[in-house]
Amino acid sequence: MACPLIDDVGLQFIERGCPSLKVIDVSRCEGVSSSGLIFVVRGHRNLLELNAGYCLSELSTALLHQMKNLNHLEVIRIDGARISETSFQVISANCKSLVEIGLSKCLGVTNMGIMRLVSACINLRVLNLTCCHSITDAAISAIAYSCRSLVCLKVESCNMITEKGLCQLGSFCLLLEEVDLTDCCGVNDKGLEYLSRCSELSCLKLGLCTNISNKGLSYIGFNCLKIHELDLYRCTGIGDDGLEALSNGCKKLRKLNLSYCNEVSDRGLGYIGRLEELSDLEMRALHKITGVGLEAVAVGCKRLADLDMKHCEKVGDSGFWALAYYSKNLRQINLSYCGISDMALCMVMGNLSRLQEAKLVHLSNCTVEGVELALRACCVRIKKVKLFAPLRFMLSSEILEILHARGCIIRWD
């Protein structure tokens, strides 16, 4: 994987030298082409997994001819390659044992190709169609009808998927655990209602889905009680009422992204504070929240380990004091562009005994002396820190030397 010194010549030696080979991963190996993979495939008809993501420009006719013999293949990833209708014909006709296929950013993926593929590969459990922009509801319907055992579907940036496709998923793919609908602008509240029938969902990504609202999120909150990861990045229609429904139902939520959800206020963060298992929270640029909201999160989410609140400019010191007192499990924090004071910064950096990484760029209410004191308070344990670039020439050489001596990586922004 990502080995710059591996090329087609080297793969020739594998053809007859590794008779028991079951798995080959040449993803991101820039020196490998279809010619090299032919050697691997030709010598190993019992291959179970072939990962050639982002190393092939296209699936050549010669390679496809050799793939006809891979009757036991279970996993194939050819992300980033150009793929033809012939490719789908060969794979569907000969690789019927497939349980996972990766076609992320592949050129040439069409509805017809996907229909042909899933009509034969009915045991698929993982399907990655990220950035396959030609995919529509027709392909999603075919997937849903044929692949009843599907547990993971990734269709990021497939903008022609609508509630019709999600209706089919919610009707037939009831074992789905992970769905990535990031930047699928055709997804709306009705679509989420259909999708919420998939009660096994544990990971749902809805970032940049600007046509969903609190109503749609409430369906997820009421029905998908096993969700532990939810991405609502830039879902501008989501506000406090949606978070209330989420907190009432999704008690197992561990990772949540609310960045740029501009309608979320302190009331919404109060509901988030009810999620006792939450460990990872992104809430960048929530301009309506104050120290009251942050305090509710700090008090309620005792397991919080990663907090990103960049550009939360209205949060005052009361919130940061609460963070310093209650959030003892924090390991990573981003306070860049926040209105924290010198004293509060020192308390946060000094009291959080498990903190390993901090981003402290452009703290307009902090002085150079305040930042230096904060760094001294945490220099024993901090592993990585990001600072405002001009501070490189303002902080004392002593504190910089101490940090370097203890293995801390400093990034300047």
Side-chain angles (χ1 to χ4, degrees):
M1 178 180 178
C3 297
L5 301 180
I6 300 297
D7 58 16
D8 293 342
V9 176
L11 292 182
Q12 290 185 49
F13 298 104
I14 296 179
E15 181 176 2
R16 301 191 185 280
C18 304
S20 301
L21 188 68
K22 299 293 185 182
V23 177
I24 182 75
D25 186 346
V26 291
S27 57
R28 300 185 186 276
C29 292
E30 297 178 357
V32 174
S33 69
S34 291
S35 300
L37 282 179
I38 288 173
F39 295 117
V40 177
V41 173
R42 190 162 57 199
H44 304 89
R45 295 190 175 188
N46 292 319
L47 202 65
L48 297 179
E49 182 174 332
L50 174 60
N51 190 348
Y54 303 107
C55 77
L56 301 178
S57 59
E58 64 178 353
L59 286 184
S60 68
T61 303
L63 178 57
L64 282 171
H65 179 73
Q66 294 298 326
M67 287 179 64
K68 291 180 180 180
N69 298 315
L70 298 181
N71 303 122
H72 302 290
L73 195 67
E74 296 178 355
V75 177
I76 181 171
R77 303 186 189 99
I78 47 177
D79 308 299
R82 180 178 292 277
I83 187 167
S84 64
E85 292 294 329
T86 304
S87 303
F88 288 111
Q89 292 175 8
V90 172
I91 294 172
S92 62
N94 300 282
C95 304
K96 296 183 180 180
S97 298
L98 281 174
V99 294
E100 177 180 346
I101 183 165
L103 300 170
S104 175
K105 299 182 181 179
C106 283
L107 299 176
V109 177
T110 63
N111 284 340
M112 188 58 66
I114 294 299
M115 291 176 186
R116 182 172 285 117
L117 179 71
V118 300
S119 66
C121 302
I122 60 173
N123 296 315
L124 276 178
R125 291 174 59 81
V126 179
L127 181 56
N128 189 346
L129 298 174
T130 297
C131 294
C132 294
H133 302 296
S134 298
I135 294 301
T136 71
D137 291 328
I140 300 300
S141 297
I143 293 167
Y145 186 76
S146 297
C147 305
R148 307 291 178 95
S149 298
L150 199 67
V151 295
C152 176
L153 178 63
K154 298 181 180 182
V155 287
E156 178 182 345
S157 296
C158 295
N159 290 318
M160 289 189 279
I161 295 174
T162 71
E163 62 189 66
K164 294 180 180 179
L166 297 184
C167 178
Q168 298 304 305
L169 289 176
S171 298
F172 298 110
C173 295
L174 300 181
L175 299 180
L176 272 172
E177 297 176 8
E178 179 178 354
V179 178
D180 188 347
L181 293 166
T182 302
D183 200 20
C184 291
C185 59
V187 174
N188 58 17
D189 290 339
K190 193 66 177 177
L192 291 186
E193 181 181 8
Y194 292 135
L195 191 63
S196 69
R197 298 172 184 168
C198 302
S199 58
E200 296 298 313
L201 271 179
S202 61
C203 177
L204 179 59
K205 298 184 179 182
L206 298 169
L208 298 167
C209 291
T210 54
N211 290 316
I212 64 173
S213 70
N214 293 324
K215 182 179 180 180
L217 189 58
S218 68
Y219 295 125
I220 302 299
F222 292 146
N223 300 309
C224 302
L225 308 186
K226 296 183 179 181
I227 279 192
H228 63 71
E229 179 177 351
L230 179 62
D231 187 350
L232 297 171
Y233 174 80
R234 289 191 186 274
C235 292
T236 53
I238 299 298
D240 297 337
D241 292 339
L243 296 183
E244 181 179 17
L246 193 69
S247 68
N248 286 334
C250 302
K251 298 294 187 181
K252 296 183 179 181
L253 201 61
R254 297 197 296 268
K255 185 174 183 178
L256 177 63
N257 190 342
L258 294 174
S259 292
Y260 304 98
C261 293
N262 301 321
E263 294 305 310
V264 173
S265 71
D266 287 337
R267 181 167 71 90
L269 289 193
Y271 298 131
I272 298 303
R274 299 176 182 176
L275 301 172
E276 296 181 357
E277 295 192 22
L278 194 68
S279 62
D280 188 326
L281 177 61
E282 290 188 47
M283 51 180 223
R284 292 189 178 192
L286 300 188
H287 299 304
K288 291 186 176 182
I289 68 168
T290 68
V292 174
L294 182 57
E295 182 175 354
V297 171
V299 172
C301 305
K302 293 293 198 308
R303 297 187 182 183
L304 199 63
D306 192 339
L307 176 63
D308 188 339
M309 50 182 297
K310 181 179 180 180
H311 279 297
C312 290
E313 295 152 355
K314 291 185 179 179
V315 175
D317 278 358
S318 63
F320 296 115
W321 282 94
L323 205 64
Y325 185 79
Y326 294 105
S327 299
K328 298 299 186 180
N329 287 310
L330 267 179
R331 289 171 172 80
Q332 298 183 52
I333 193 168
N334 188 350
L335 299 177
S336 298
Y337 295 90
C338 287
I340 191 170
S341 70
D342 284 345
M343 186 173 293
L345 181 63
C346 289
M347 284 296 297
V348 168
M349 300 301 287
N351 275 27
L352 300 180
S353 58
R354 297 186 179 182
L355 194 66
Q356 296 181 359
E357 181 176 346
K359 297 178 180 178
L360 309 172
V361 176
H362 209 287
L363 304 180
S364 57
N365 289 345
C366 288
T367 64
V368 176
E369 293 77 15
V371 173
E372 175 144 349
L373 285 173
L375 292 175
R376 288 183 181 276
C378 67
C379 65
V380 173
R381 61 184 176 277
I382 199 78
K383 301 298 182 185
K384 187 184 295 184
V385 64
K386 188 176 183 180
L387 300 170
F388 193 37
L391 290 177
R392 183 199 296 258
F393 309 104
M394 300 177 185
L395 293 170
S396 71
S397 58
E398 180 189 2
I399 185 58
L400 296 179
E401 289 171 3
I402 290 174
L403 291 170
H404 283 302
R406 294 187 177 275
C408 178
I409 299 172
I410 304 176
R411 291 177 54 200
W412 302 99
D413 190 326

